[in-house]
Amino acid sequence: MLVEEKPIGVVSVTKGLIEDLYILPDMQNMGLGTKLLLYAVGQCTDTPTLWILENNINAERLYRRIGFKETGRKNAITNKLDEIEFALT
């Protein structure tokens, strides 16, 4: 994602899997993450899904606001930290 020709964010989409959605910290909370996520959803050819760390509350809030819901699938990252799958249904 470019703002005034400066790179401020990135996202990857493979079929329905949205990965690597990042906005530079000083550009967050301006609605740009929402715009980038909606762009990514539009690029999906399957049901949009993504994974987040269970402690990433800000990302979870964004995804839930757009309509993503937990699927119940989890991956253990460490003994104390899981990655949780969300899907747009």
Side-chain angles (χ1 to χ4, degrees), residues 9-76:
V10 64
V11 67
S12 300
V13 178
T14 305
K15 295 184 180 179
L17 182 61
I18 299 170
E19 298 180 289
D20 307 319
L21 193 152
Y22 297 106
I23 299 290
L24 291 175
D26 61 334
M27 299 299 288
Q28 293 176 3
N29 300 310
M30 298 180 186
L32 299 171
T34 300
K35 288 181 182 180
L36 192 55
L37 177 58
L38 292 173
Y39 169 80
V41 166
Q43 300 304 303
C44 291
T45 57
D46 289 337
T47 300
T49 59
L50 49 85
W51 292 84
I52 64 168
L53 294 176
E54 64 183 341
N55 63 352
N56 192 340
I57 304 304
N58 290 334
E60 181 177 346
R61 186 173 44 241
L62 168 62
Y63 301 140
R64 286 187 186 279
R65 189 171 62 240
I66 299 302
F68 281 82
K69 294 184 168 94
E70 286 185 52
T71 66
R73 294 179 61 200
K74 293 183 179 188
N75 288 324

